[in-house]
Amino acid sequence: MPRTEAPTLSSPIPRIADRDRRRTSASVILRSVLEHGPVARSNIARLTGLSPASVTDHCARLTRLGLIRETAAPRQSKGVGRPHVPIDLDDTRFVVGGVHVAVPYSTVALLDLRGRVVAERELKHCGATDPYGVLARAADGLAGLLAAAPGSRPLGVGFAAGGWVDRDSGTIVEHPLLGWRDVPVREVLGDRTGLPVHVDGHARALVNAERLFGRARGSGSVLHLFVGNVVDAAFATNDEVHHGPRSQAGAIAHLPVPGGTETCDCGRVGCLQVELSERTLCRRARAAGVVDGVNPMHVLRAATRGDAVAVRLLTDRARMTGRAVGLLLDVLNPETVVVTELGVLSRQDCLAALRSAVGSERAAAVVPSSFADSVLAVAGGSVALDVLYRDPLGASPEAI
């Protein structure tokens, strides 16, 4: 039998473990600076449980990478020794690109390291939504935004969309409303932009955005429900979003909703997506003479002008969304539920209808998206920002 040698100090196993520990520690420190900065290194050590020496070492690494910086005014310590110099996120050097593809248009954007939208542009689809044409236009749109922001260095591109999006392969496996199948998004956008590209579904992307920058920061478990032309969900516990095999988790289009009346393509009545889709909202509004097009914003504007039918359509939709939230709460029991839905984001009566349908005991756990004015831009960019905050040493522009 061949002799098996014991691992030595030069074997790769401890080196890999050390690298993983460095990545984890760097991630914890960068998240701590994001959440608490400006913050002294001694407080980071207290907040994270890392040793002062480890915090000092990693802060030096992150500073060299341009991700954090010392603030101008040091704070005098209460005891003997040098003043504490607080550190904060450096949000002046880098941006990430964001691409979100919806049914009527794509959104391209630049986000800073705090998840704030620096620049944004909508690109309407022209005729047939050929995936390669749509992605080429998105890449060109990002290039235009970067050209208009000459001081910003891009770290990568995040891509988000509805449908079945496989994060690991960087592929849209299936998006029925767009007619896309097996589209290699990561490869196509990477070739067009020359940047690292990260791909995920938009509900999961928005869970990460809420976890990093929004109302769900600090929650032990978060459910996000996205209601647009596509209706889907995502669930995160202990800072990890559930993806499932080939990233199929969150497909709730055919969840039956109590009180539904619409016939779905699958042949059943009351499936969640057909009940709540913006297409259904606009069709009902056209039938009632409220609008004559397919833009849900026109229904919202009619309600703002005082159109009673438009108000009823929006509050009914919010109430049905609340029933869906109630079903998901029964199954998953998250601490926080974040809802992205047109009426809920824009009108207090719709938020009240949603919470009423959920029930008074659980209503306080249900909140609208933190990014009402830029939800699709944030969805795309947060895919890349999540990668950065999970592994700042690997996702940063230079290796250490």
Side-chain angles (χ1 to χ4, degrees):
M1 180 179 294
R3 180 181 174 184
T4 303
E5 295 186 2
T8 66
L9 291 176
S10 60
S11 69
I13 296 174
R15 288 203 300 271
I16 291 172
D18 288 346
R19 186 167 65 245
D20 289 343
R21 281 195 294 270
R22 287 197 298 271
R23 288 174 174 171
T24 300
S25 297
S27 172
V28 168
I29 290 171
L30 189 61
R31 285 283 301 276
S32 183
V33 175
L34 170 68
E35 294 177 19
H36 302 286
V39 59
R41 292 169 181 82
S42 58
N43 284 335
I44 294 175
R46 178 179 57 80
L47 289 164
T48 63
L50 296 170
S51 70
S54 178
V55 170
T56 298
D57 177 57
H58 282 92
C59 283
R61 292 169 182 263
L62 295 172
T63 300
R64 288 198 299 271
L65 287 174
L67 299 177
I68 64 174
R69 60 181 175 178
E70 293 185 344
T71 57
R75 298 175 182 173
Q76 183 63 48
S77 62
K78 293 181 179 179
V80 179
R82 295 187 305 172
H84 295 303
V85 181
I87 57 175
D88 203 357
L89 202 67
D90 189 343
D91 53 16
T92 64
R93 301 189 189 192
F94 300 112
V95 294
V96 298
V99 177
H100 179 276
V101 175
V103 174
Y105 58 86
S106 298
T107 302
V108 295
L110 302 179
L111 277 64
D112 69 12
L113 300 193
R114 297 186 188 276
R116 299 176 300 202
V117 177
V118 176
E120 180 180 1
R121 185 182 175 193
E122 287 185 3
L123 306 172
K124 283 197 172 184
H125 299 322
C126 302
T129 51
D130 166 62
Y132 298 94
V134 169
L135 295 175
R137 289 190 69 214
D140 292 343
L142 280 179
L145 294 182
L146 286 167
S152 299
R153 182 177 174 187
L155 292 176
V157 177
F159 174 94
W164 178 3
V165 182
D166 183 5
R167 176 188 61 168
D168 293 336
S169 67
T171 301
I172 289 186
V173 181
E174 184 176 22
H175 194 310
L177 295 182
L178 287 174
W180 291 14
R181 289 187 64 88
D182 298 320
V183 179
V185 173
R186 178 186 296 151
E187 178 184 339
V188 174
L189 276 181
D191 288 346
R192 298 281 305 197
T193 63
L195 294 168
V197 176
H198 310 283
V199 176
D200 210 343
H202 58 199
R204 291 190 292 265
L206 288 166
V207 161
N208 285 325
E210 295 286 348
R211 179 180 59 80
L212 287 169
F213 314 112
R215 293 189 176 98
R217 180 186 285 179
S219 289
S221 55
V222 186
L223 169 70
H224 181 267
L225 177 62
F226 186 98
V227 179
N229 280 309
V230 173
V231 179
D232 52 15
F235 183 60
T237 55
N238 297 322
D239 227 23
E240 292 293 334
V241 179
H242 181 59
H243 282 76
R246 291 204 71 191
S247 299
Q248 293 185 76
I252 58 170
H254 298 289
L255 181 73
V257 184
T261 59
E262 295 284 334
T263 301
C264 182
D265 290 341
C266 72
R268 293 183 294 181
V269 173
C271 290
L272 183 60
Q273 182 158 295
V274 72
E275 289 293 337
L276 298 183
S277 168
E278 289 176 349
R279 291 183 170 187
T280 300
L281 173 67
C282 290
R283 178 178 55 74
R284 290 172 174 172
R286 287 195 305 273
V290 175
V291 299
D292 57 5
V294 294
N295 188 338
M297 291 300 297
H298 294 169
V299 183
L300 182 62
R301 289 168 189 158
T304 302
R305 293 193 301 268
D307 188 303
V309 176
V311 171
R312 177 179 58 78
L313 289 171
L314 289 170
T315 53
D316 284 352
R317 185 177 189 237
R319 193 170 294 108
M320 187 71 75
T321 301
R323 293 174 187 165
V325 169
L327 293 173
L328 295 170
L329 275 165
D330 288 341
V331 175
L332 299 171
N333 193 31
E335 287 183 20
T336 305
V337 180
V338 181
V339 176
T340 298
E341 190 272 336
L342 178 67
V344 171
L345 296 183
S346 308
R347 297 179 59 89
Q348 284 299 313
D349 55 354
C350 289
L351 179 59
L354 170 81
R355 287 175 168 166
S356 175
V358 170
S360 58
E361 292 183 358
R362 301 184 293 186
V366 183
V367 297
S369 168
S370 305
F371 315 104
D373 296 330
S374 54
V375 64
L376 301 184
V378 170
S382 65
V383 178
L385 288 171
D386 175 62
V387 172
L388 173 69
Y389 280 98
R390 289 187 185 279
D391 183 11
L393 303 185
S396 298
E398 4 177 325
I400 294 184

